């Protein structure tokens, strides 16, 4: 999958794929700051490596990075929420391994903007382990 995506996945994400290969998680709710306001969402599904039509990592990579350039080159979609937004991981740079919320309602045209435009990406966690550990059952 790394060769297909033309990215080197962070080791923690490769280990996660080998152990879990995507799927649902529980708990699944997370919080993040979006434009100065506390926001929340939940993981609907982690993408997996399989040939099926839905929740397929290869399909998501193709749609988001090759059919159209809908996110920076070094950002990889790894999961989705129920509303079509994505949870992504940075695969290189100073934010290597960081987890982001990709807001589909505020998409950036990366055929015009450069990869430093994070205006529809919102930091959730510094790494996958922190993200997974931060998931909760409720919004207390």
């Amino acid at each position: 999958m790394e060769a297909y995506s033309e990215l080197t996945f962070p080791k923690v994400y490769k280990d996660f794929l080998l152990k879990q290969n995507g799927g649902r998680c529980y708990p699944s709710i997370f919080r993040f700051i979006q434009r100065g306001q506390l926001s929340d969402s939940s993981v609907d599904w982690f993408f997996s490596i399989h040939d099926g039509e839905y929740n397929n990592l290869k399909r998501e990579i193709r749609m988001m990075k090759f059919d159209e350039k809908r996110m920076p080159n070094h950002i990889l979609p790894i999961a989705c929420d129920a509303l079509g937004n994505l949870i992504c991981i940075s695969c290189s740079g100073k934010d290597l391994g960081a987890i982001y919320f990709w807001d589909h309602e505020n998409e950036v045209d990366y055929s015009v903007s450069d990869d430093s435009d994070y205006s529809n990406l919102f930091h959730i966690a510094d790494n996958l382990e922190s993200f997974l550990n931060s998931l909760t059952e409720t919004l207390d």
Side-chain angles (χ1 to χ4, degrees):
M1 199 57 59
E2 287 179 298
Y4 178 76
S5 69
E6 300 174 357
L7 294 169
T8 300
F9 298 173
K11 181 179 181 338
V12 67
Y13 180 59
K14 286 193 270 193
D15 293 345
F16 175 80
L17 275 177
L18 289 171
K19 183 177 179 183
Q20 302 295 331
N21 194 24
R24 293 195 185 273
C25 66
Y26 187 82
S28 64
I29 299 171
F30 60 93
R31 289 189 169 130
F32 60 100
I33 303 296
Q34 184 173 10
R35 293 182 172 67
Q37 304 233 344
L38 186 62
S39 294
D40 61 78
S41 187
S42 64
V43 176
D44 187 48
W45 200 271
F46 278 96
F47 302 130
S48 57
I49 299 171
H50 65 89
D51 292 331
E53 182 177 353
Y54 300 104
N55 304 311
N56 176 312
L57 181 59
K58 187 174 185 177
R59 179 179 177 269
E60 290 298 320
I61 292 168
R62 186 187 75 245
M63 288 185 344
M64 301 305 295
K65 303 183 89 40
F66 299 134
D67 291 351
E68 295 179 66
K69 190 172 189 271
R70 298 174 68 188
M71 57 183 50
N73 285 331
H74 64 285
I75 300 292
L76 177 74
I78 62 171
C80 62
D81 72 5
L83 300 175
N85 301 298
L86 298 171
I87 295 88
C88 303
I89 193 167
S90 175
C91 292
S92 67
K94 64 182 178 198
D95 63 346
L96 173 65
I99 306 297
Y100 293 93
F101 179 83
W102 179 87
D103 183 350
H104 80 282
E105 293 180 8
N106 295 296
E107 279 199 54
V108 173
D109 183 353
Y110 286 100
S111 66
V112 176
S113 291
D114 68 24
D115 285 349
S116 67
D117 187 341
Y118 276 40
S119 59
N120 79 323
L121 290 165
F122 302 95
H123 184 267
I124 302 171
D126 289 337
N127 55 59
L128 184 61
E129 183 178 24
S130 294
F131 173 65
L132 294 172
N133 289 335
S134 74
L135 296 173
T136 64
E137 298 176 28
T138 61
L139 292 172
D140 294 333

